[in-house]
C-alpha cells in the first residue's frame, strides 16, 4: 500500500495503460515522420512560402522548433534504418529513442534497434555520442605530409550577368579557423536573436552588416554605403550600372534611406538631405506594435525590416502605421519574390475583418496557429508492444558494433567436403 491509497494492482493497471498509450503515441509519431518524409521529398514546405521545413512543421503541428527539428532529422535518416523504423511503426520505440537510434551509420541498424528497445534515452545517447562510428559516406583520407598544403589564402568574387554574386575562397589553415569561428559566432547570435533557422548564408551576411555598421567616420561611411540609383522613370541601378529587377528594387525601397538628387542635363546639381523612408519615430511605433516578424509561426524578433503593405515605390503606398508591418529579412524577401501574399490593415487586431492576411503561393490563407484535426476514432492498434527500457546500469564498453567488411571473393563450392557432409 502507498500513502495515497493506490494498491499494487492499481499501479500495475496504471502502468499497463501507460504502456498502451505510449505504444499508440509512438506509432502515431512514426506516421508523423513518414508524412514529413513525404513533405521533404515533395518540397511541400517550400511551395507554401516558408523558409524551412522546421518552420513549416513547428507551425503546422504546434511543436517547438527543437521537436520539429528532431522529427525532420529522423525523416531524413529513416531510409538508412529500416529496422529501427519498423519498430517505430509498431509502437515499440519512442520518438526520442528513434531520434538517437537513426544517427549511427546504416550498418548498425539491427544492433542499434535491439539496443534502443532496452536502453534509456540517456544511455542510448551515451552510446551514440561516444562510439567511434565509421560514417555511412566514407570520409576522404587525411592528406599525407607529402601533399602540398595551402599556406596562402585566396578569395575571388564577382557578379554574374543576373547580378548574382559568386564567392570562392581558399583559406590557409589558421585563416580558416578564424573564419569558421566568426561564422559560428554569427549564426549563434542570429539564433539567440530569434532566428533558429539561420544558416551559413545568413551568418555571412550578418558579419558583413556588422562590419559596415562599425564604420564610424562619416566620409568613410559614405564611401562604403550601398547606393541605389532610382530614376524618375522608375528604373533602379546600382553604382556599377546593374539594373535591378523590380522585385529587388521594391524590397530595398521598403525600408531604406533616400537622398534626393536634382539633375540638369544629366549632371547632378543639388543633393538633398538623406532621410529614412520609414521615419525613426514611425519605425519605433510599428516595431513596438508588432514585436517581431508578423508572419504566422515565425519567431524572429530582432533585425526585422519594416515593409510597406501597399508598396511604397510603384503603388505609392503611404508610410503610415496601418500600411507598415514588421517582417524578418527572409519573409520580406519571400514577399517581394511573389511567394508570400500580404494584404490588410496592420493596425487592426489579427482575426478582425480587414486585418492583415498572409497567403501562400497557391493563394491559401496562412492560419495563425496549429490546427490539429479532432480524432473521430481511436488510433489503429500498434502491431508491436511498447516495453519501457530496463533502466539498469549500462557498461558502455561492453557494446560493440560490427563494421561492414570488404566483400570476400567466393570460390565455387563443388567438391567442398563440408558441403558434402551437410547433405547427409
Ligand atoms: Zn517590403
Ligand atoms: Zn519571419
Amino acid at each position: 500500500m502507498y500513502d495515497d491509497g493506490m494498491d499494487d494492482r492499481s499501479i500495475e493497471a496504471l502502468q499497463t495503460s501507460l504502456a498502451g498509450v505510449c505504444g499508440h503515441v509512438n506509432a502515431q509519431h512514426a506516421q508523423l515522420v513518414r508524412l514529413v518524409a513525404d513533405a521533404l521529398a515533395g518540397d511541400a514546405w517550400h511551395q507554401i512560402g516558408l523558409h524551412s521545413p522546421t518552420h513549416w512543421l513547428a507551425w503546422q503541428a504546434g511543436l517547438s522548433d527543437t521537436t520539429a527539428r528532431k522529427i525532420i532529422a529522423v525523416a531524413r535518416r529513416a531510409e538508412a534504418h529500416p529496422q529501427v523504423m519498423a519498430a517505430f511503426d509498431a509502437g515499440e520505440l519512442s520518438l526520442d529513442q528513434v531520434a538517437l537510434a537513426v544517427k549511427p551509420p546504416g550498418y548498425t541498424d539491427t544492433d542499434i534497434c535491439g539496443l534502443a528497445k532496452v536502453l534509456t534515452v540517456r544511455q542510448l545517447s551515451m552510446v551514440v555520442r561516444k562510439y567511434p562510428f565509421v560514417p555511412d559516406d566514407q570520409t576522404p583520407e587525411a592528406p599525407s605530409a607529402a601533399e602540398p598544403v595551402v599556406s596562402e589564402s585566396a578569395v575571388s568574387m564577382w557578379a554574374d550577368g543576373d547580378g548574382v554574386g559568386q564567392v570562392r575562397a581558399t583559406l590557409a589553415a589558421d585563416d580558416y579557423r578564424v573564419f569558421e569561428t566568426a561564422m559560428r559566432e554569427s549564426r549563434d547570435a542570429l539564433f539567440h536573436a530569434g532566428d533558429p533557422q539561420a544558416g551559413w548564408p545568413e551568418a555571412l551576411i550578418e558579419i558583413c552588416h556588422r562590419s559596415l555598421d562599425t564604420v564610424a567616420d562619416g566620409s568613410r561611411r559614405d564611401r562604403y554605403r550601398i547606393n541605389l540609383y532610382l530614376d524618375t522613370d522608375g528604373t533602379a541601378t546600382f553604382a556599377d550600372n546593374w539594373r535591378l529587377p523590380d522585385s529587388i528594387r521594391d524590397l530595398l525601397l521598403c525600408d531604406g534611406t533616400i537622398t534626393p538628387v536634382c539633375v540638369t542635363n544629366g549632371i547632378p546639381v543639388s543633393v538633398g538631405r538623406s532621410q529614412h523612408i520609414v521615419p525613426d519615430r514611425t519605425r519605433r511605433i510599428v516595431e513596438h506594435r508588432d514585436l517581431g516578424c508578423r508572419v504566422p509561426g515565425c519567431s524572429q524578433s530582432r533585425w526585422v525590416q519594416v515593409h510597406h503593405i501597399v508598396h511604397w515605390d510603384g503603388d505609392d503606398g503611404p508610410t503610415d502605421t496601418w500600411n507598415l508591418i514588421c517582417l524578418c529579412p527572409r519573409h520580406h524577401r519571400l514577399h517581394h519574390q511573389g511567394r508570400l501574399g500580404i494584404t490588410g490593415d496592420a493596425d487592426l487586431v489579427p482575426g478582425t475583418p480587414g486585418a492583415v492576411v498572409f497567403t501562400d503561393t497557391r493563394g491559401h490563407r496562412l492560419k495563425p496557429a496549429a490546427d490539429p484535426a479532432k480524432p473521430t476514432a481511436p488510433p489503429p492498434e500498434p502491431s508491436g508492444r511498447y516495453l519501457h527500457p530496463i533502466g539498469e546500469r549500462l557498461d558502455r564498453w561492453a557494446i560493440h558494433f560490427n563494421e561492414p567488411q570488404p566483400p570476400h571473393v567466393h570460390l565455387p563450392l563443388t567438391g567442398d567436403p563440408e558441403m558434402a557432409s551437410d547433405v547427409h
Side-chain angles (χ1 to χ4, degrees):
M1 290 289 277
Y2 291 76
D3 287 348
D4 60 359
M6 225 182 191
D7 58 26
D8 284 355
R9 202 182 295 168
S10 308
I11 290 171
E12 207 170 297
L14 183 73
Q15 301 207 132
T16 307
S17 303
L18 188 78
V21 170
C22 287
H24 280 299
V25 168
N26 297 346
Q28 291 298 304
H29 267 148
Q31 288 303 305
L32 190 56
V33 166
R34 302 272 185 207
L35 288 176
V36 168
D38 287 347
L40 290 176
D43 236 10
W45 59 274
H46 205 241
Q47 288 172 30
I48 51 178
L50 297 172
H51 53 57
S52 79
T54 310
H55 177 195
W56 169 72
L57 185 61
W59 163 52
Q60 288 283 305
L63 301 173
S64 69
D65 287 338
T66 316
T67 311
R69 256 199 298 277
K70 189 182 284 179
I71 291 171
I72 284 160
V74 175
R76 287 201 164 121
R77 291 283 303 156
E79 219 169 302
H81 283 279
Q83 294 205 32
V84 170
M85 286 305 291
F88 194 20
D89 282 331
E92 295 166 352
L93 289 175
S94 74
L95 174 62
D96 285 347
Q97 287 169 317
V98 172
L100 288 164
V102 295
K103 278 187 183 169
Y107 67 77
T108 64
D109 190 32
T110 309
D111 297 334
I112 203 89
C113 181
L115 278 172
K117 288 182 189 174
V118 293
L119 297 184
T120 64
V121 169
R122 181 187 277 262
Q123 289 170 333
L124 194 57
S125 152
M126 206 146 69
V127 171
V128 171
R129 271 190 297 129
K130 296 287 171 67
Y131 198 87
F133 290 112
V134 176
D136 277 336
D137 43 345
Q138 285 290 318
T139 43
E141 280 175 33
S144 65
E147 279 182 62
V149 174
V150 176
S151 59
E152 271 188 44
S153 299
V155 176
S156 49
M157 52 190 182
W158 66 98
D160 64 19
D162 296 326
V164 175
Q166 309 284 340
V167 182
R168 196 188 145 80
T170 305
L171 300 179
D174 51 340
D175 287 348
Y176 176 72
R177 296 311 183 274
V178 175
F179 174 76
E180 198 233 337
T181 309
M183 288 285 276
R184 279 194 288 111
E185 188 281 330
S186 172
R187 195 177 61 168
D188 194 51
L190 289 170
F191 180 90
H192 287 290
D195 184 4
Q197 278 96 39
W200 297 130
E202 290 79 18
L204 186 61
I205 300 303
E206 163 60 16
I207 290 172
C208 299
H209 277 297
R210 245 192 275 171
S211 169
L212 286 174
D213 287 349
T214 57
V215 183
D217 174 46
S219 62
R220 269 198 87 222
R221 200 168 47 225
D222 282 346
R223 233 166 75 212
Y224 293 109
R225 182 168 283 160
I226 301 159
N227 287 313
L228 175 70
Y229 298 87
L230 186 67
D231 215 315
T232 41
D233 66 0
T235 56
T237 50
F238 279 130
D240 58 4
N241 224 11
W242 182 72
R243 193 180 153 179
L244 283 82
D246 292 352
S247 62
I248 302 182
R249 180 201 61 197
D250 288 355
L251 172 73
L252 296 173
L253 286 175
C254 244
D255 195 7
T257 305
I258 48 167
T259 312
V261 179
C262 295
V263 178
T264 307
N265 299 330
I267 300 162
V269 288
S270 78
V271 176
R273 239 184 87 220
S274 295
Q275 54 183 358
H276 293 294
I277 291 170
V278 180
D280 288 347
R281 193 175 159 275
T282 316
R283 161 179 277 277
R284 276 198 298 275
I285 294 170
V286 172
E287 283 185 349
H288 182 73
R289 182 197 65 198
D290 291 349
L291 301 172
C293 178
R294 287 263 299 257
V295 176
C298 185
S299 52
Q300 187 162 340
S301 56
R302 283 175 63 193
W303 293 310
V304 288
Q305 297 172 347
V306 177
H307 165 66
H308 287 70
I309 298 173
V310 178
H311 292 180
W312 180 83
D313 188 65
D315 299 330
D316 289 329
T319 303
D320 295 332
T321 58
W322 67 265
N323 194 41
L324 299 172
I325 191 165
C326 288
L327 299 176
C328 66
R330 266 184 283 182
H331 277 127
H332 197 190
R333 192 173 287 272
L334 272 181
H335 167 76
H336 285 285
Q337 286 169 346
R339 287 161 57 202
L340 173 72
I342 307 171
T343 50
D345 180 337
D347 279 339
L348 295 177
V349 178
T352 56
V356 170
V357 170
F358 296 90
T359 44
D360 63 24
T361 44
R362 304 162 303 162
H364 293 195
R365 194 174 165 159
L366 300 188
K367 292 191 187 123
D371 189 19
K374 231 182 215 160
T376 52
E381 201 63 38
S383 57
R385 188 165 161 245
Y386 177 67
L387 297 169
H388 63 76
I390 306 166
E392 282 177 4
R393 201 183 78 84
L394 167 71
D395 183 0
R396 64 187 154 85
W397 306 119
I399 292 173
H400 181 76
F401 297 92
N402 290 312
E403 287 161 26
Q405 299 300 314
H408 292 289
V409 178
H410 289 282
L411 295 169
L413 292 169
T414 43
D416 186 337
E418 278 189 33
M419 274 291 284
S421 67
D422 275 348
V423 173
H424 291 296

